Amino acid sequence: MSCKPLSPELNRALHEGLVIPAHPLALNEQRRLDERHQRALTRYYAASGAGGIAVGVHSTQFEIRDKHINLYEPVLRLAAEEVERAQLDRPFIKVAGLCGPTGQVLDEAETAASIGYEVGLLSMAGLVEWSEADLLERTEKVAAVIPVIGFYMQPSVGGRVFTYDFWKSFADIPNVVAIKMAPFNRYQTLDVVRAVCNSSRRDEIALYTGNDDNIVADLLTTYRFMIDGSPVEKKIVGGLLGHWAVWTRKAVELLEEIKLLRGNDNLSKEWLTRNVEVTDTNAAFFDPAHHFAGCIPGIHEVLRRQGLMRGTWCLNPQEELSPGQADEIERVYQAYPHLHDDDFVRTHLAEWLDQ
């Protein structure tokens, strides 16, 4: 299968900046797929104004690929069906999570492309013995099948640290259309941005934040480097985030506010406070207090409270809310009522659940 390039409309939207939630997996008490709520989640993201969804990623749970579970293709297909059904009048990009060694990742890329996914989010997790050269070769092979979004994942959830040279070579690969930076580390984020700025393809690559601990600041920052004697600037234009799987309507409003501010040299210091507020809510959802052990159940708990999921069950029974995490979620609910979208969900929930 040859790579189908992004349409000009989708490519333009990707570079202008989109809210792309990382799609969770809705399960019932038997830890089996809850199709009704899975479809409702996709409908919620579409109705919220999001510019896409990422399915088959960390928030969708990597265990969907296990042979005895075998949910990778079904959950991608369900989401694609709902996007098609929504008949949206705006660009909406479908991102498929891709992982594993070369054989597996190419199979996933071909599956995603055949279902109609426009891009693949390429994880390097789990390949600890692979050299950077091996991973670059793997990327080239995937990019021949589907346009690629690179993914810098933090080590605490399975990622690893990469060199500046790795990201420079990564950016030079044709059909790499974006990079999601989620190392939760300012130095490593800077490595990626500087590498892209030094690539001849810098204008072809959109930068997205996955740094759930620094979302607002990432989106407000202009990066500037002197390259061959001239200043080169690059912005992080949008987010592909597990955090944006909840309170998505407010995330869309946030990004639209920030887009209006770009180029404004007199930003209010209130944006620094907003950054801290969003980071505080993320701490409740993602559970850094327990090394992110409750990051997926935390997202589920917010969606459960809203009625978009029936429970916090994960495919791995060991993944559950950490001690005190539910209380922390309640705390941020009370502290930041302007950040949640409960009223919006309450208004539309019945129609999203109607099959």
Side-chain angles (χ1 to χ4, degrees):
M1 178 183 295
S2 59
C3 180
K4 180 181 179 182
L6 287 179
S7 69
E9 180 186 40
L10 273 183
N11 190 58
R12 182 166 53 252
L14 186 68
H15 281 260
E16 289 174 353
L18 299 170
V19 167
I20 306 177
H23 204 307
L25 180 69
L27 300 175
N28 60 25
E29 292 180 78
Q30 291 73 44
R31 303 184 193 274
R32 297 183 183 277
L33 178 65
D34 179 347
E35 183 175 327
R36 182 182 182 217
H37 285 80
Q38 188 72 13
R39 290 184 182 275
L41 285 170
T42 308
R43 294 170 185 175
Y44 162 55
Y45 299 133
S48 294
I53 46 172
V55 189
V57 295
H58 178 250
S59 297
T60 326
Q61 303 176 48
F62 289 133
E63 290 88 351
I64 60 173
R65 296 163 169 84
D66 293 353
K67 288 184 178 180
H68 67 284
I69 294 173
N70 196 28
L71 282 177
Y72 181 77
E73 182 174 354
V75 296
L76 261 65
R77 195 173 295 279
L78 284 177
E81 289 174 1
E82 289 304 323
V83 172
E84 177 69 22
R85 184 175 298 171
Q87 294 292 296
L88 298 171
D89 59 358
R90 66 179 190 276
F92 193 91
I93 194 164
K94 300 187 295 298
V95 182
L98 310 174
C99 70
T102 303
Q104 175 185 332
V105 80
L106 288 176
D107 285 345
E108 291 184 3
E110 290 173 0
T111 295
S114 71
I115 296 172
Y117 281 70
E118 291 89 7
V119 292
L121 180 68
L122 183 59
S123 171
M124 269 80 79
L127 305 174
V128 293
E129 303 300 325
W130 289 46
S131 69
E132 291 190 344
D134 291 336
L135 291 169
L136 291 168
E137 182 180 355
R138 168 179 174 264
T139 302
E140 291 173 349
K141 291 179 179 178
V142 174
V145 176
I146 193 169
V148 166
I149 299 177
F151 185 9
Y152 201 168
M153 180 189 285
Q154 58 166 318
S156 58
V157 291
R160 61 189 266 193
V161 176
F162 292 99
T163 64
Y164 164 86
D165 289 334
F166 171 82
W167 289 113
K168 171 61 169 60
S169 297
F170 194 98
D172 289 339
I173 296 173
N175 291 333
V176 170
V177 296
I179 298 176
K180 168 185 171 171
M181 298 166 293
F184 284 40
N185 181 291
R186 304 283 71 76
Y187 301 117
Q188 291 158 15
T189 298
L190 192 61
D191 279 344
V192 178
V193 183
R194 186 165 65 91
V196 171
C197 285
N198 275 279
S199 170
S200 62
R201 300 190 63 251
R202 59 179 171 256
D203 294 334
E204 301 173 54
I205 296 176
L207 295 179
Y208 273 67
T209 184
N211 289 319
D212 302 75
D213 64 338
N214 200 53
I215 295 169
V216 175
D218 271 1
L219 293 169
L220 285 171
T221 300
T222 298
Y223 293 83
R224 183 182 299 117
F225 304 96
M226 292 300 295
I227 297 172
D228 297 328
S230 300
V232 172
E233 293 185 350
K234 195 78 175 169
K235 294 180 184 293
I236 298 172
V237 295
L240 198 168
L241 293 155
H243 184 89
W244 281 355
V246 300
W247 300 357
T248 310
R249 180 70 170 181
K250 292 295 183 178
V252 171
E253 293 174 4
L254 172 71
L255 183 59
E256 290 307 311
E257 278 188 78
I258 289 172
K259 285 181 178 181
L260 292 174
L261 291 170
R262 287 178 181 161
N264 186 338
D265 294 329
N266 299 301
L267 287 176
S268 167
K269 64 182 180 180
E270 280 300 309
W271 281 102
L272 297 175
T273 301
R274 181 87 71 92
N275 187 54
V276 171
E277 292 176 345
V278 173
T279 300
D280 193 18
T281 62
N282 183 261
F285 303 161
F286 269 46
D287 195 32
H290 300 91
H291 305 288
F292 302 95
C295 63
I296 293 178
I299 293 295
H300 291 186
E301 172 61 12
V302 179
L303 296 169
R304 183 200 65 79
R305 289 175 58 130
Q306 293 183 313
L308 284 160
M309 294 182 80
R310 292 173 55 198
T312 63
W313 306 291
C314 295
L315 291 170
N316 179 356
Q318 303 303 313
E319 286 197 67
E320 54 187 21
L321 289 171
S322 293
Q325 191 177 0
D327 292 337
E328 277 294 286
I329 291 172
E330 175 62 25
R331 177 184 67 80
V332 298
Y333 247 103
Q334 298 303 320
Y336 311 115
H338 53 291
L339 295 182
H340 73 66
D341 63 357
D342 283 17
D343 289 344
F344 173 71
V345 174
R346 192 178 300 113
T347 299
H348 298 282
L349 182 61
E351 66 190 76
W352 297 333
L353 288 171
D354 183 10
Q355 293 190 307

